[in-house]
Amino acid sequence: LCRECKRLTILNSELFTLTYGALVTQLCKDYENDEEVNKQLDKMGYNIGVRLIEDFLARSSVGRCQDFRETADVIAKVAFKMYLGITPSVTNWSPAGDEFSLILESNPLVDFVELPDNHSTLVYSNLLCGVLRGALEMVQMAVDVKFAQDSLRGDNVTEIRMKFIKRIEENLPAGDE
Amino acid sequence: MSVYIMADEALFQFLHNEVIQYIYKSSEHGEMENGRCITKLENMGFRVGQGLIERFTKDTARFKDELDVMKFICKDFWTSVFKKQIDNLRTNHQGIYVLQDNKFRLLTQLSAGKQYLEHAPKYLAFTCGLVRGGLSNLGVKSIVTAEVSVMPACKFQVMIQKM
């Protein structure tokens, strides 16, 4: 990558990261406690996810996934790479094959971020959970997504746990939350 | 490589839109409230603009004058953030600059023409702050406003404040 292109790339992901940081700061001002902020981030993520999926499908021309394992691979190797420039690893499959973990060695959302002491229960990157949930709902999958480990809260890695709940019927309308 | 960069931008646009929805959702309608929301968005943009410049210009040589700074904003800064340069820069050489973007990225999704014109300021506030914050970290104090008549073209007006 030539130096100019590299700088463009860095700047653009910083734009998202910095804007996200400003949003979290604003939410912490607006809400009484971390739990409320977490919920709001999840909601906003959901609203983004239900639209992002179309953008993703248009860009990636990925076909319909045959099973949850394929979905996991597409999320980790295509979607995360495309939007956040990282490729988490897919591990810790449940025996039934309905639950897995995404392990993020580094989380681009948290560059230069430190949680202040009075926000120990804030799930800073919770937007991601909502995005994944909203996006998958649009392709007829109801999933539960949450952070199992968080590097911002002292864990070595960041781990997102995804669980398949059920298939959604095609004609159920989805709206904003 | 280019696909990766474009998708990055899409993610920011989705976030930007959602931030606007959030700021406005809990407010009531009315002049006062709208002003408060615009200010909130502008302030967020300001902090982000400061942060961007902090990291971006580490290697760049010093600017020789105010016009040089404005050209940087129009070319390098705008290209990095919006993937294109400002189309036209005008100044009265007395501290007022008008930056014209004929196809502003954050408006192209909203409409082409005059539909939703009353909503356009919401989609410009953050960027006004972005410019003000960027300039601030370059040592230039300013007031930045935006004006739009036919989307997606818009004009950003920068008024340099003597410190």
Side-chain angles (χ1 to χ4, degrees), chain A residues 3 7-9 11-14 18-19 27 30-31 47 59 82-83, chain B residues 4 7-12 14 18 22 25 52 55-56 59 80 83 126:
Chain A
R3 197 159 153 272
R7 185 181 282 161
L8 269 174
T9 312
L11 204 80
N12 211 266
S13 66
E14 282 178 358
L18 288 170
T19 303
L27 291 175
D30 293 344
Y31 289 97
N47 292 341
R59 286 178 203 278
M82 192 179 274
Y83 291 108
Chain B
Y4 160 40
D8 242 18
E9 189 193 358
L11 194 58
F12 166 72
F14 280 111
E18 196 51 36
Y22 166 74
K25 156 199 86 154
L52 279 176
R55 294 196 246 299
F56 184 60
D59 314 326
S80 298
K83 301 296 166 301
F126 184 88

PDB file of all heavy atoms in Angstrom, chain A residues 3 7-9 11-14 18-19 27 30-31 47 59 82-83, chain B residues 4 7-12 14 18 22 25 52 55-56 59 80 83 126:
ATOM      1  N   ARG A   3       2.018   5.079   0.537  1.00  0.00           N
ATOM      2  CA  ARG A   3       1.871   5.861   1.763  1.00  0.00           C
ATOM      3  C   ARG A   3       0.575   6.684   1.783  1.00  0.00           C
ATOM      4  O   ARG A   3      -0.117   6.772   2.786  1.00  0.00           O
ATOM      5  CB  ARG A   3       3.086   6.770   1.910  1.00  0.00           C
ATOM      6  CG  ARG A   3       3.258   7.334   3.308  1.00  0.00           C
ATOM      7  CD  ARG A   3       4.696   7.776   3.552  1.00  0.00           C
ATOM      8  NE  ARG A   3       4.753   8.829   4.552  1.00  0.00           N
ATOM      9  CZ  ARG A   3       4.647  10.124   4.273  1.00  0.00           C
ATOM     10  NH1 ARG A   3       4.524  10.541   3.048  1.00  0.00           N
ATOM     11  NH2 ARG A   3       4.687  11.025   5.242  1.00  0.00           N
ATOM     12  N   ARG A   7      -2.615   6.262   4.388  1.00  0.00           N
ATOM     13  CA  ARG A   7      -3.115   7.341   5.225  1.00  0.00           C
ATOM     14  C   ARG A   7      -4.623   7.506   5.053  1.00  0.00           C
ATOM     15  O   ARG A   7      -5.334   7.731   5.995  1.00  0.00           O
ATOM     16  CB  ARG A   7      -2.385   8.640   4.887  1.00  0.00           C
ATOM     17  CG  ARG A   7      -2.782   9.780   5.799  1.00  0.00           C
ATOM     18  CD  ARG A   7      -2.073  11.039   5.436  1.00  0.00           C
ATOM     19  NE  ARG A   7      -0.705  11.043   5.911  1.00  0.00           N
ATOM     20  CZ  ARG A   7       0.231  11.855   5.423  1.00  0.00           C
ATOM     21  NH1 ARG A   7      -0.032  12.664   4.451  1.00  0.00           N
ATOM     22  NH2 ARG A   7       1.446  11.829   5.911  1.00  0.00           N
ATOM     23  N   LEU A   8      -5.101   7.375   3.810  1.00  0.00           N
ATOM     24  CA  LEU A   8      -6.543   7.468   3.548  1.00  0.00           C
ATOM     25  C   LEU A   8      -7.293   6.419   4.337  1.00  0.00           C
ATOM     26  O   LEU A   8      -8.309   6.665   4.932  1.00  0.00           O
ATOM     27  CB  LEU A   8      -6.822   7.243   2.067  1.00  0.00           C
ATOM     28  CG  LEU A   8      -6.841   8.468   1.166  1.00  0.00           C
ATOM     29  CD1 LEU A   8      -6.993   8.034  -0.278  1.00  0.00           C
ATOM     30  CD2 LEU A   8      -7.975   9.397   1.544  1.00  0.00           C
ATOM     31  N   THR A   9      -6.758   5.210   4.303  1.00  0.00           N
ATOM     32  CA  THR A   9      -7.395   4.097   4.991  1.00  0.00           C
ATOM     33  C   THR A   9      -7.450   4.364   6.478  1.00  0.00           C
ATOM     34  O   THR A   9      -8.465   4.209   7.119  1.00  0.00           O
ATOM     35  CB  THR A   9      -6.604   2.800   4.742  1.00  0.00           C
ATOM     36  OG1 THR A   9      -6.336   2.687   3.364  1.00  0.00           O
ATOM     37  CG2 THR A   9      -7.388   1.601   5.209  1.00  0.00           C
ATOM     38  N   LEU A  11      -7.274   7.186   8.057  1.00  0.00           N
ATOM     39  CA  LEU A  11      -8.120   8.301   8.425  1.00  0.00           C
ATOM     40  C   LEU A  11      -9.581   7.915   8.421  1.00  0.00           C
ATOM     41  O   LEU A  11     -10.333   8.323   9.276  1.00  0.00           O
ATOM     42  CB  LEU A  11      -7.882   9.478   7.486  1.00  0.00           C
ATOM     43  CG  LEU A  11      -8.264  10.797   8.145  1.00  0.00           C
ATOM     44  CD1 LEU A  11      -7.166  11.251   9.050  1.00  0.00           C
ATOM     45  CD2 LEU A  11      -8.553  11.845   7.100  1.00  0.00           C
ATOM     46  N   ASN A  12      -9.983   7.124   7.430  1.00  0.00           N
ATOM     47  CA  ASN A  12     -11.393   6.805   7.334  1.00  0.00           C
ATOM     48  C   ASN A  12     -11.860   5.934   8.486  1.00  0.00           C
ATOM     49  O   ASN A  12     -12.938   6.133   9.019  1.00  0.00           O
ATOM     50  CB  ASN A  12     -11.702   6.152   6.003  1.00  0.00           C
ATOM     51  CG  ASN A  12     -13.094   6.487   5.571  1.00  0.00           C
ATOM     52  OD1 ASN A  12     -14.022   5.732   5.834  1.00  0.00           O
ATOM     53  ND2 ASN A  12     -13.269   7.633   4.966  1.00  0.00           N
ATOM     54  N   SER A  13     -11.054   4.973   8.902  1.00  0.00           N
ATOM     55  CA  SER A  13     -11.490   4.155  10.021  1.00  0.00           C
ATOM     56  C   SER A  13     -11.409   4.967  11.305  1.00  0.00           C
ATOM     57  O   SER A  13     -12.153   4.732  12.242  1.00  0.00           O
ATOM     58  CB  SER A  13     -10.668   2.879  10.128  1.00  0.00           C
ATOM     59  OG  SER A  13      -9.335   3.195  10.463  1.00  0.00           O
ATOM     60  N   GLU A  14     -10.549   5.974  11.324  1.00  0.00           N
ATOM     61  CA  GLU A  14     -10.504   6.831  12.502  1.00  0.00           C
ATOM     62  C   GLU A  14     -11.753   7.683  12.578  1.00  0.00           C
ATOM     63  O   GLU A  14     -12.232   7.977  13.664  1.00  0.00           O
ATOM     64  CB  GLU A  14      -9.278   7.729  12.459  1.00  0.00           C
ATOM     65  CG  GLU A  14      -8.023   6.984  12.850  1.00  0.00           C
ATOM     66  CD  GLU A  14      -6.797   7.850  12.758  1.00  0.00           C
ATOM     67  OE1 GLU A  14      -6.924   9.023  12.355  1.00  0.00           O
ATOM     68  OE2 GLU A  14      -5.719   7.338  13.070  1.00  0.00           O
ATOM     69  N   LEU A  18     -13.640   7.609  15.960  1.00  0.00           N
ATOM     70  CA  LEU A  18     -13.778   8.849  16.729  1.00  0.00           C
ATOM     71  C   LEU A  18     -15.249   9.243  16.883  1.00  0.00           C
ATOM     72  O   LEU A  18     -15.667   9.711  17.939  1.00  0.00           O
ATOM     73  CB  LEU A  18     -13.000   9.977  16.057  1.00  0.00           C
ATOM     74  CG  LEU A  18     -11.475   9.881  16.156  1.00  0.00           C
ATOM     75  CD1 LEU A  18     -10.811  10.909  15.251  1.00  0.00           C
ATOM     76  CD2 LEU A  18     -11.011  10.088  17.600  1.00  0.00           C
ATOM     77  N   THR A  19     -16.020   9.071  15.799  1.00  0.00           N
ATOM     78  CA  THR A  19     -17.448   9.410  15.864  1.00  0.00           C
ATOM     79  C   THR A  19     -18.154   8.492  16.853  1.00  0.00           C
ATOM     80  O   THR A  19     -18.996   8.928  17.639  1.00  0.00           O
ATOM     81  CB  THR A  19     -18.095   9.287  14.474  1.00  0.00           C
ATOM     82  OG1 THR A  19     -17.401  10.139  13.567  1.00  0.00           O
ATOM     83  CG2 THR A  19     -19.564   9.681  14.510  1.00  0.00           C
ATOM     84  N   LEU A  27     -24.006   9.538  24.971  1.00  0.00           N
ATOM     85  CA  LEU A  27     -24.956   8.639  25.633  1.00  0.00           C
ATOM     86  C   LEU A  27     -24.703   8.585  27.136  1.00  0.00           C
ATOM     87  O   LEU A  27     -25.646   8.549  27.933  1.00  0.00           O
ATOM     88  CB  LEU A  27     -24.874   7.229  25.039  1.00  0.00           C
ATOM     89  CG  LEU A  27     -25.386   7.075  23.606  1.00  0.00           C
ATOM     90  CD1 LEU A  27     -25.148   5.672  23.094  1.00  0.00           C
ATOM     91  CD2 LEU A  27     -26.878   7.394  23.522  1.00  0.00           C
ATOM     92  N   ASP A  30     -26.321  11.451  28.591  1.00  0.00           N
ATOM     93  CA  ASP A  30     -27.784  11.446  28.514  1.00  0.00           C
ATOM     94  C   ASP A  30     -28.453  10.434  29.439  1.00  0.00           C
ATOM     95  O   ASP A  30     -29.610  10.606  29.806  1.00  0.00           O
ATOM     96  CB  ASP A  30     -28.242  11.162  27.080  1.00  0.00           C
ATOM     97  CG  ASP A  30     -27.876  12.294  26.124  1.00  0.00           C
ATOM     98  OD1 ASP A  30     -27.556  13.391  26.609  1.00  0.00           O
ATOM     99  OD2 ASP A  30     -27.920  12.068  24.902  1.00  0.00           O
ATOM    100  N   TYR A  31     -27.746   9.360  29.750  1.00  0.00           N
ATOM    101  CA  TYR A  31     -28.363   8.304  30.537  1.00  0.00           C
ATOM    102  C   TYR A  31     -27.732   8.160  31.914  1.00  0.00           C
ATOM    103  O   TYR A  31     -26.554   8.391  32.100  1.00  0.00           O
ATOM    104  CB  TYR A  31     -28.302   6.970  29.786  1.00  0.00           C
ATOM    105  CG  TYR A  31     -29.233   6.951  28.598  1.00  0.00           C
ATOM    106  CD1 TYR A  31     -28.761   7.235  27.317  1.00  0.00           C
ATOM    107  CD2 TYR A  31     -30.593   6.688  28.759  1.00  0.00           C
ATOM    108  CE1 TYR A  31     -29.613   7.236  26.230  1.00  0.00           C
ATOM    109  CE2 TYR A  31     -31.448   6.690  27.677  1.00  0.00           C
ATOM    110  CZ  TYR A  31     -30.957   6.966  26.411  1.00  0.00           C
ATOM    111  OH  TYR A  31     -31.804   6.979  25.347  1.00  0.00           O
ATOM    112  N   ASN A  47     -30.739  -0.771  14.417  1.00  0.00           N
ATOM    113  CA  ASN A  47     -31.220   0.096  13.332  1.00  0.00           C
ATOM    114  C   ASN A  47     -30.216   0.180  12.192  1.00  0.00           C
ATOM    115  O   ASN A  47     -30.588   0.259  11.030  1.00  0.00           O
ATOM    116  CB  ASN A  47     -31.521   1.501  13.856  1.00  0.00           C
ATOM    117  CG  ASN A  47     -32.709   1.529  14.799  1.00  0.00           C
ATOM    118  OD1 ASN A  47     -33.539   0.606  14.808  1.00  0.00           O
ATOM    119  ND2 ASN A  47     -32.804   2.573  15.612  1.00  0.00           N
ATOM    120  N   ARG A  59     -22.418  -5.312  -1.931  1.00  0.00           N
ATOM    121  CA  ARG A  59     -20.970  -5.235  -2.129  1.00  0.00           C
ATOM    122  C   ARG A  59     -20.309  -6.599  -2.265  1.00  0.00           C
ATOM    123  O   ARG A  59     -19.329  -6.753  -2.986  1.00  0.00           O
ATOM    124  CB  ARG A  59     -20.302  -4.545  -0.941  1.00  0.00           C
ATOM    125  CG  ARG A  59     -20.495  -3.087  -0.876  1.00  0.00           C
ATOM    126  CD  ARG A  59     -19.817  -2.540   0.368  1.00  0.00           C
ATOM    127  NE  ARG A  59     -20.398  -1.293   0.754  1.00  0.00           N
ATOM    128  CZ  ARG A  59     -20.070  -0.126   0.194  1.00  0.00           C
ATOM    129  NH1 ARG A  59     -19.167  -0.077  -0.747  1.00  0.00           N
ATOM    130  NH2 ARG A  59     -20.652   0.986   0.584  1.00  0.00           N
ATOM    131  N   MET A  82     -14.520  -6.235   5.651  1.00  0.00           N
ATOM    132  CA  MET A  82     -14.985  -5.160   4.782  1.00  0.00           C
ATOM    133  C   MET A  82     -15.261  -3.870   5.540  1.00  0.00           C
ATOM    134  O   MET A  82     -14.948  -2.787   5.085  1.00  0.00           O
ATOM    135  CB  MET A  82     -16.258  -5.640   4.099  1.00  0.00           C
ATOM    136  CG  MET A  82     -16.734  -4.809   2.983  1.00  0.00           C
ATOM    137  SD  MET A  82     -18.209  -5.543   2.281  1.00  0.00           S
ATOM    138  CE  MET A  82     -17.494  -6.677   1.127  1.00  0.00           C
ATOM    139  N   TYR A  83     -15.874  -3.981   6.683  1.00  0.00           N
ATOM    140  CA  TYR A  83     -16.314  -2.776   7.390  1.00  0.00           C
ATOM    141  C   TYR A  83     -15.357  -2.310   8.477  1.00  0.00           C
ATOM    142  O   TYR A  83     -15.298  -1.128   8.784  1.00  0.00           O
ATOM    143  CB  TYR A  83     -17.704  -2.986   8.002  1.00  0.00           C
ATOM    144  CG  TYR A  83     -18.784  -3.093   6.948  1.00  0.00           C
ATOM    145  CD1 TYR A  83     -19.396  -4.308   6.671  1.00  0.00           C
ATOM    146  CD2 TYR A  83     -19.170  -1.981   6.213  1.00  0.00           C
ATOM    147  CE1 TYR A  83     -20.374  -4.410   5.696  1.00  0.00           C
ATOM    148  CE2 TYR A  83     -20.145  -2.075   5.231  1.00  0.00           C
ATOM    149  CZ  TYR A  83     -20.744  -3.295   4.982  1.00  0.00           C
ATOM    150  OH  TYR A  83     -21.705  -3.384   4.003  1.00  0.00           O
TER     151      TYR A  83
ATOM    152  N   TYR B   4     -12.523  -1.963   0.311  1.00  0.00           N
ATOM    153  CA  TYR B   4     -12.383  -1.835   1.766  1.00  0.00           C
ATOM    154  C   TYR B   4     -12.587  -0.385   2.180  1.00  0.00           C
ATOM    155  O   TYR B   4     -13.325  -0.080   3.091  1.00  0.00           O
ATOM    156  CB  TYR B   4     -11.028  -2.391   2.157  1.00  0.00           C
ATOM    157  CG  TYR B   4     -10.492  -1.946   3.500  1.00  0.00           C
ATOM    158  CD1 TYR B   4     -11.323  -1.820   4.607  1.00  0.00           C
ATOM    159  CD2 TYR B   4      -9.156  -1.676   3.666  1.00  0.00           C
ATOM    160  CE1 TYR B   4     -10.825  -1.430   5.830  1.00  0.00           C
ATOM    161  CE2 TYR B   4      -8.655  -1.300   4.885  1.00  0.00           C
ATOM    162  CZ  TYR B   4      -9.493  -1.165   5.964  1.00  0.00           C
ATOM    163  OH  TYR B   4      -8.976  -0.785   7.158  1.00  0.00           O
ATOM    164  N   ALA B   7     -16.282   0.704   1.878  1.00  0.00           N
ATOM    165  CA  ALA B   7     -17.174   0.118   2.873  1.00  0.00           C
ATOM    166  C   ALA B   7     -17.007   0.803   4.219  1.00  0.00           C
ATOM    167  O   ALA B   7     -17.965   0.979   4.961  1.00  0.00           O
ATOM    168  CB  ALA B   7     -16.910  -1.376   2.996  1.00  0.00           C
ATOM    169  N   ASP B   8     -15.779   1.179   4.506  1.00  0.00           N
ATOM    170  CA  ASP B   8     -15.500   1.954   5.697  1.00  0.00           C
ATOM    171  C   ASP B   8     -16.371   3.197   5.744  1.00  0.00           C
ATOM    172  O   ASP B   8     -16.911   3.572   6.766  1.00  0.00           O
ATOM    173  CB  ASP B   8     -14.046   2.441   5.609  1.00  0.00           C
ATOM    174  CG  ASP B   8     -13.233   1.875   6.741  1.00  0.00           C
ATOM    175  OD1 ASP B   8     -13.688   0.898   7.330  1.00  0.00           O
ATOM    176  OD2 ASP B   8     -12.182   2.460   7.023  1.00  0.00           O
ATOM    177  N   GLU B   9     -16.446   3.853   4.594  1.00  0.00           N
ATOM    178  CA  GLU B   9     -17.193   5.101   4.506  1.00  0.00           C
ATOM    179  C   GLU B   9     -18.680   4.837   4.720  1.00  0.00           C
ATOM    180  O   GLU B   9     -19.362   5.616   5.371  1.00  0.00           O
ATOM    181  CB  GLU B   9     -16.959   5.709   3.130  1.00  0.00           C
ATOM    182  CG  GLU B   9     -17.513   7.103   2.991  1.00  0.00           C
ATOM    183  CD  GLU B   9     -17.550   7.554   1.554  1.00  0.00           C
ATOM    184  OE1 GLU B   9     -17.120   6.800   0.677  1.00  0.00           O
ATOM    185  OE2 GLU B   9     -18.033   8.680   1.324  1.00  0.00           O
ATOM    186  N   ALA B  10     -19.151   3.734   4.180  1.00  0.00           N
ATOM    187  CA  ALA B  10     -20.562   3.375   4.331  1.00  0.00           C
ATOM    188  C   ALA B  10     -20.904   3.219   5.803  1.00  0.00           C
ATOM    189  O   ALA B  10     -21.932   3.681   6.278  1.00  0.00           O
ATOM    190  CB  ALA B  10     -20.873   2.081   3.580  1.00  0.00           C
ATOM    191  N   LEU B  11     -19.999   2.577   6.532  1.00  0.00           N
ATOM    192  CA  LEU B  11     -20.240   2.355   7.947  1.00  0.00           C
ATOM    193  C   LEU B  11     -20.356   3.684   8.689  1.00  0.00           C
ATOM    194  O   LEU B  11     -21.240   3.861   9.526  1.00  0.00           O
ATOM    195  CB  LEU B  11     -19.095   1.512   8.529  1.00  0.00           C
ATOM    196  CG  LEU B  11     -19.325   0.906   9.916  1.00  0.00           C
ATOM    197  CD1 LEU B  11     -20.553   0.029   9.925  1.00  0.00           C
ATOM    198  CD2 LEU B  11     -18.107   0.109  10.354  1.00  0.00           C
ATOM    199  N   PHE B  12     -19.483   4.627   8.336  1.00  0.00           N
ATOM    200  CA  PHE B  12     -19.569   5.938   8.969  1.00  0.00           C
ATOM    201  C   PHE B  12     -20.902   6.604   8.626  1.00  0.00           C
ATOM    202  O   PHE B  12     -21.549   7.196   9.488  1.00  0.00           O
ATOM    203  CB  PHE B  12     -18.417   6.862   8.550  1.00  0.00           C
ATOM    204  CG  PHE B  12     -18.670   8.299   8.931  1.00  0.00           C
ATOM    205  CD1 PHE B  12     -18.595   8.697  10.265  1.00  0.00           C
ATOM    206  CD2 PHE B  12     -19.050   9.235   7.983  1.00  0.00           C
ATOM    207  CE1 PHE B  12     -18.868  10.007  10.638  1.00  0.00           C
ATOM    208  CE2 PHE B  12     -19.333  10.549   8.341  1.00  0.00           C
ATOM    209  CZ  PHE B  12     -19.241  10.937   9.673  1.00  0.00           C
ATOM    210  N   PHE B  14     -23.781   5.256   7.907  1.00  0.00           N
ATOM    211  CA  PHE B  14     -24.862   4.624   8.676  1.00  0.00           C
ATOM    212  C   PHE B  14     -24.851   5.141  10.115  1.00  0.00           C
ATOM    213  O   PHE B  14     -25.887   5.431  10.704  1.00  0.00           O
ATOM    214  CB  PHE B  14     -24.699   3.099   8.695  1.00  0.00           C
ATOM    215  CG  PHE B  14     -25.176   2.428   7.431  1.00  0.00           C
ATOM    216  CD1 PHE B  14     -24.286   1.830   6.562  1.00  0.00           C
ATOM    217  CD2 PHE B  14     -26.533   2.396   7.114  1.00  0.00           C
ATOM    218  CE1 PHE B  14     -24.712   1.218   5.393  1.00  0.00           C
ATOM    219  CE2 PHE B  14     -26.969   1.782   5.950  1.00  0.00           C
ATOM    220  CZ  PHE B  14     -26.065   1.192   5.083  1.00  0.00           C
ATOM    221  N   GLU B  18     -27.667   7.421  12.113  1.00  0.00           N
ATOM    222  CA  GLU B  18     -28.259   6.918  13.346  1.00  0.00           C
ATOM    223  C   GLU B  18     -28.055   7.910  14.497  1.00  0.00           C
ATOM    224  O   GLU B  18     -28.931   8.067  15.354  1.00  0.00           O
ATOM    225  CB  GLU B  18     -27.656   5.548  13.685  1.00  0.00           C
ATOM    226  CG  GLU B  18     -28.435   4.746  14.694  1.00  0.00           C
ATOM    227  CD  GLU B  18     -29.908   4.609  14.364  1.00  0.00           C
ATOM    228  OE1 GLU B  18     -30.252   4.490  13.172  1.00  0.00           O
ATOM    229  OE2 GLU B  18     -30.717   4.657  15.311  1.00  0.00           O
ATOM    230  N   TYR B  22     -30.981   9.592  16.672  1.00  0.00           N
ATOM    231  CA  TYR B  22     -30.956   9.529  18.133  1.00  0.00           C
ATOM    232  C   TYR B  22     -31.108  10.921  18.756  1.00  0.00           C
ATOM    233  O   TYR B  22     -31.916  11.134  19.648  1.00  0.00           O
ATOM    234  CB  TYR B  22     -29.649   8.890  18.634  1.00  0.00           C
ATOM    235  CG  TYR B  22     -29.440   9.119  20.116  1.00  0.00           C
ATOM    236  CD1 TYR B  22     -30.198   8.417  21.060  1.00  0.00           C
ATOM    237  CD2 TYR B  22     -28.535  10.074  20.573  1.00  0.00           C
ATOM    238  CE1 TYR B  22     -30.051   8.654  22.420  1.00  0.00           C
ATOM    239  CE2 TYR B  22     -28.382  10.306  21.931  1.00  0.00           C
ATOM    240  CZ  TYR B  22     -29.140   9.601  22.850  1.00  0.00           C
ATOM    241  OH  TYR B  22     -28.993   9.855  24.185  1.00  0.00           O
ATOM    242  N   LYS B  25     -34.685  12.144  18.138  1.00  0.00           N
ATOM    243  CA  LYS B  25     -35.805  11.290  18.544  1.00  0.00           C
ATOM    244  C   LYS B  25     -36.387  11.709  19.872  1.00  0.00           C
ATOM    245  O   LYS B  25     -37.587  11.740  20.069  1.00  0.00           O
ATOM    246  CB  LYS B  25     -35.312   9.840  18.581  1.00  0.00           C
ATOM    247  CG  LYS B  25     -36.091   8.929  19.488  1.00  0.00           C
ATOM    248  CD  LYS B  25     -35.275   7.701  19.804  1.00  0.00           C
ATOM    249  CE  LYS B  25     -34.382   7.994  21.001  1.00  0.00           C
ATOM    250  NZ  LYS B  25     -34.037   6.775  21.742  1.00  0.00           N
ATOM    251  N   LEU B  52      -9.204  13.907  14.487  1.00  0.00           N
ATOM    252  CA  LEU B  52      -8.711  13.530  13.161  1.00  0.00           C
ATOM    253  C   LEU B  52      -7.434  14.281  12.820  1.00  0.00           C
ATOM    254  O   LEU B  52      -6.473  13.710  12.340  1.00  0.00           O
ATOM    255  CB  LEU B  52      -9.748  13.852  12.090  1.00  0.00           C
ATOM    256  CG  LEU B  52     -10.881  12.862  11.898  1.00  0.00           C
ATOM    257  CD1 LEU B  52     -11.850  13.396  10.861  1.00  0.00           C
ATOM    258  CD2 LEU B  52     -10.352  11.505  11.478  1.00  0.00           C
ATOM    259  N   ARG B  55      -4.141  13.223  14.534  1.00  0.00           N
ATOM    260  CA  ARG B  55      -3.410  12.080  14.015  1.00  0.00           C
ATOM    261  C   ARG B  55      -2.967  12.281  12.579  1.00  0.00           C
ATOM    262  O   ARG B  55      -1.978  11.735  12.151  1.00  0.00           O
ATOM    263  CB  ARG B  55      -4.271  10.826  14.111  1.00  0.00           C
ATOM    264  CG  ARG B  55      -4.528  10.462  15.541  1.00  0.00           C
ATOM    265  CD  ARG B  55      -5.037   9.049  15.650  1.00  0.00           C
ATOM    266  NE  ARG B  55      -6.394   8.947  16.114  1.00  0.00           N
ATOM    267  CZ  ARG B  55      -6.834   9.376  17.278  1.00  0.00           C
ATOM    268  NH1 ARG B  55      -6.018   9.957  18.121  1.00  0.00           N
ATOM    269  NH2 ARG B  55      -8.091   9.255  17.618  1.00  0.00           N
ATOM    270  N   PHE B  56      -3.687  13.048  11.819  1.00  0.00           N
ATOM    271  CA  PHE B  56      -3.449  13.143  10.392  1.00  0.00           C
ATOM    272  C   PHE B  56      -2.209  13.937  10.036  1.00  0.00           C
ATOM    273  O   PHE B  56      -1.452  13.554   9.175  1.00  0.00           O
ATOM    274  CB  PHE B  56      -4.670  13.770   9.711  1.00  0.00           C
ATOM    275  CG  PHE B  56      -4.579  13.825   8.220  1.00  0.00           C
ATOM    276  CD1 PHE B  56      -4.437  12.677   7.469  1.00  0.00           C
ATOM    277  CD2 PHE B  56      -4.656  15.034   7.553  1.00  0.00           C
ATOM    278  CE1 PHE B  56      -4.367  12.723   6.090  1.00  0.00           C
ATOM    279  CE2 PHE B  56      -4.591  15.089   6.179  1.00  0.00           C
ATOM    280  CZ  PHE B  56      -4.451  13.937   5.443  1.00  0.00           C
ATOM    281  N   ASP B  59       2.947  14.247   9.974  1.00  0.00           N
ATOM    282  CA  ASP B  59       4.094  14.346   9.064  1.00  0.00           C
ATOM    283  C   ASP B  59       4.067  15.581   8.168  1.00  0.00           C
ATOM    284  O   ASP B  59       4.985  15.810   7.410  1.00  0.00           O
ATOM    285  CB  ASP B  59       4.155  13.128   8.132  1.00  0.00           C
ATOM    286  CG  ASP B  59       3.958  11.832   8.903  1.00  0.00           C
ATOM    287  OD1 ASP B  59       4.411  11.779  10.052  1.00  0.00           O
ATOM    288  OD2 ASP B  59       3.353  10.910   8.334  1.00  0.00           O
ATOM    289  N   SER B  80      -9.700  12.900   2.313  1.00  0.00           N
ATOM    290  CA  SER B  80      -9.588  11.806   3.267  1.00  0.00           C
ATOM    291  C   SER B  80     -10.919  11.455   3.884  1.00  0.00           C
ATOM    292  O   SER B  80     -11.245  10.294   4.065  1.00  0.00           O
ATOM    293  CB  SER B  80      -8.616  12.174   4.382  1.00  0.00           C
ATOM    294  OG  SER B  80      -7.350  12.396   3.832  1.00  0.00           O
ATOM    295  N   LYS B  83     -13.732  11.532   0.327  1.00  0.00           N
ATOM    296  CA  LYS B  83     -13.310  10.891  -0.924  1.00  0.00           C
ATOM    297  C   LYS B  83     -13.352  11.814  -2.138  1.00  0.00           C
ATOM    298  O   LYS B  83     -13.331  11.367  -3.274  1.00  0.00           O
ATOM    299  CB  LYS B  83     -14.153   9.647  -1.249  1.00  0.00           C
ATOM    300  CG  LYS B  83     -14.112   8.583  -0.194  1.00  0.00           C
ATOM    301  CD  LYS B  83     -12.704   8.037  -0.063  1.00  0.00           C
ATOM    302  CE  LYS B  83     -12.516   7.232   1.185  1.00  0.00           C
ATOM    303  NZ  LYS B  83     -12.779   7.965   2.424  1.00  0.00           N
ATOM    304  N   PHE B 126     -22.922  18.114  11.846  1.00  0.00           N
ATOM    305  CA  PHE B 126     -21.750  17.364  12.294  1.00  0.00           C
ATOM    306  C   PHE B 126     -20.517  17.786  11.495  1.00  0.00           C
ATOM    307  O   PHE B 126     -19.438  18.008  12.062  1.00  0.00           O
ATOM    308  CB  PHE B 126     -22.003  15.862  12.125  1.00  0.00           C
ATOM    309  CG  PHE B 126     -20.901  14.966  12.627  1.00  0.00           C
ATOM    310  CD1 PHE B 126     -20.877  14.554  13.948  1.00  0.00           C
ATOM    311  CD2 PHE B 126     -19.889  14.537  11.767  1.00  0.00           C
ATOM    312  CE1 PHE B 126     -19.856  13.720  14.415  1.00  0.00           C
ATOM    313  CE2 PHE B 126     -18.872  13.716  12.225  1.00  0.00           C
ATOM    314  CZ  PHE B 126     -18.851  13.306  13.547  1.00  0.00           C
TER     315      PHE B 126
END
